[in-house]
Amino acid sequence: MAKPVSRAYSRYASEACELLGVLIRESRIEQGMTVGELAERAGVSRGLVNRVESGDMGCSIGAVFEMAAILKLSLFDLSPDALSRYLSMKQDKLTLLPKAVRQSTVNVQDDF
């Protein structure tokens, strides 16, 4: 399936992505790291770093999170240990939930 040329995103999602890009750029500059250095450490191109920092919604989330990790930028209000515990707890919960959700085929009689 071909990638769509443009996709509409909610204002919230766009602003969140832009904020993350600004936080990455701010952290990189405060640490005295160039775009090229961050790109090399993250294993991506300088162009991708620039796109992330500008808030481009088409960037790989893995690359964005890797850049944030390299810069020691906290994305969640959890310490690394707490994040691991929280992830484990959520994964345990998912094992108890159904594997898939299907649309109900039963017509509900809700005329009272």
Side-chain angles (χ1 to χ4, degrees), residues 19-69:
L19 174 61
L20 182 54
V22 167
L23 291 172
I24 288 173
R25 180 182 174 108
E26 177 185 45
S27 183
R28 177 183 59 77
I29 291 170
E30 285 176 349
Q31 294 180 35
M33 191 179 294
T34 67
V35 170
E37 290 170 334
L38 179 56
E40 185 176 332
R41 290 193 57 197
V44 298
S45 68
R46 289 190 315 262
L48 182 57
V49 174
N50 287 327
R51 287 179 43 218
V52 167
E53 289 182 352
S54 69
D56 184 346
M57 296 287 284
C59 298
S60 162
I61 193 167
V64 175
F65 275 33
E66 182 62 23
M67 288 178 216

Side-chain angles (χ1 to χ4, degrees), residues 82-94:
L83 182 65
S84 295
R85 284 192 306 274
Y86 189 66
L87 175 61
S88 178
M89 182 180 72
K90 290 301 179 182
Q91 288 172 332
D92 290 345
K93 181 179 179 180
L94 282 176

